[in-house]
Amino acid sequence: MPPIIEVRHVTRRFGGFVAVNDCSLKVERGSITGLIGPNGAGKSTLFNMVAGNLSPSSGQILLDGEDITGVPPHKLFGKGLLRTFQIAHEFSRLTVRENLMVVPEHQAGESLLATWVAGGRVRENERAVREKADEVIDFLKIGHVADELAGNLSGGQKKLLELGRTMMTDAKVVLLDEIAAGVNRTLLNDLAGNIERLNRERGYTFFVIEHDMDLIGRLCDPVIVMAAGQVMMQGTLDEIQANEAVVEAYFGGSPTGHATTPNGPAAEVRA
């Protein structure tokens, strides 16, 4: 079977600046694949192209063997590719349950005519969507905030809600953009546990940009390193942390040629 995501020789230019340069990588089906690299490496630009928010200047992107180069996000949603954001995009004046219920496509109640002539079908559809939302709430253990306005949630709770919204449809792959940002360690542990459960129990594939190396080490295998718009290496986190060229790409080298962190010799990569 083909990789769930394949990026083939993708380049993205912004005027004379090349943000992603002839980049190729694969995300295997059923994996939790990490994407790390120093600031300016091109990670977010690559994510935006895979998610349909940007079109490549050249190259090709495939989803489950299908060419999706330049396909907009709403069409990718229908193909099973979903994305979360570093800053959560909740409907702040809807409850947690309502935020979940608006996700599924083609609900009967979206048609004004159906509400007039097929009220029974509309109510049955809404009942099924509500049951699905309650299942997601139970899975994520967020029942205590199910009827809270989403705008009142903490940063970590909003990230859990974003993860829950991916569960309201048949996702093939979920792009997670810096899920640890602004999340306390307790909620981050809950979030990581839910990602692991979705991967293990429901077969979700995750592609993760993250600067928290502890989280990358817990969740991701393999880990892909980007630098200067290209893939530098791929491997386990231990292999990456042992690679001096990778550490130098993050922190630069000392006059002796040995990679250093601001606190001395680089024992491990920290984004």
Side-chain angles (χ1 to χ4, degrees), residues 233 236-247 266-269:
M233 76 168 289
T236 67
L237 186 59
D238 286 342
E239 291 169 341
I240 286 165
Q241 289 176 333
N243 188 299
E244 288 193 10
V246 172
V247 177
E268 57 187 77
V269 174

Side-chain angles (χ1 to χ4, degrees), residues 12-215:
R12 173 67 195 200
R13 298 180 181 88
F14 295 93
F17 174 69
V18 180
V20 175
N21 184 18
D22 193 29
C23 180
S24 297
L25 59 81
K26 296 178 181 179
V27 176
E28 298 297 338
R29 190 182 313 272
S31 71
I32 305 178
T33 298
L35 182 64
I36 67 172
N39 290 333
K43 304 182 302 296
S44 293
T45 301
L46 179 66
F47 244 46
N48 282 328
M49 289 188 287
V50 173
N53 300 106
L54 287 173
S55 294
S57 302
S58 62
Q60 189 179 34
I61 300 171
L62 283 74
L63 173 67
D64 204 11
E66 177 187 354
D67 188 346
I68 59 164
T69 310
V71 174
H74 68 279
K75 291 188 177 179
L76 292 177
F77 176 90
K79 296 178 182 294
L81 189 150
L82 287 77
R83 179 189 181 171
T84 69
F85 292 86
Q86 180 179 353
I87 299 174
H89 288 56
E90 78 283 353
F91 294 106
S92 60
R93 299 185 69 180
L94 298 181
T95 68
V96 167
R97 182 179 286 105
E98 289 167 343
N99 265 266
L100 296 174
M101 291 180 65
V102 300
V103 172
E105 289 186 297
H106 310 307
Q107 296 187 46
E110 295 174 4
S111 166
L112 181 60
L113 181 61
T115 63
W116 291 342
V117 303
R121 181 164 62 89
V122 171
R123 288 190 293 274
E124 180 60 32
N125 179 231
E126 184 172 351
R127 187 179 305 113
V129 171
R130 185 183 182 90
E131 289 175 357
K132 176 68 174 177
D134 287 340
E135 177 191 336
V136 169
I137 287 167
D138 289 342
F139 183 95
L140 296 177
K141 298 181 174 60
I142 54 174
H144 58 294
V145 293
D147 297 310
E148 181 66 65
L149 293 180
N152 295 337
L153 301 181
S154 70
Q157 290 169 332
K158 289 178 181 181
K159 295 289 180 74
L160 280 171
L161 175 57
E162 284 220 322
L163 186 62
R165 291 197 295 196
T166 72
M167 298 173 63
M168 290 297 296
T169 186
D170 295 323
K172 290 182 180 179
V173 59
V174 180
L175 310 182
L176 300 177
D177 191 352
E178 297 199 29
I179 55 171
V183 180
N184 68 54
R185 302 311 296 185
T186 299
L187 275 176
L188 185 58
N189 186 61
D190 292 343
L191 191 57
N194 283 310
I195 291 167
E196 290 170 326
R197 287 179 63 201
L198 286 170
N199 175 254
R200 180 178 63 249
E201 298 174 13
R202 304 196 179 191
Y204 275 43
T205 300
F206 290 98
F207 191 23
V208 185
I209 288 180
E210 188 50 64
H211 284 283
D212 187 314
M213 291 297 106
D214 291 333
L215 186 63

Side-chain angles (χ1 to χ4, degrees), residues 7-11 20-25 46 226 229-231:
V7 175
R8 296 178 177 175
H9 303 289
V10 163
T11 295
V20 175
N21 184 18
D22 193 29
C23 180
S24 297
L25 59 81
L46 179 66
M226 282 189 72
Q230 296 180 313
V231 171

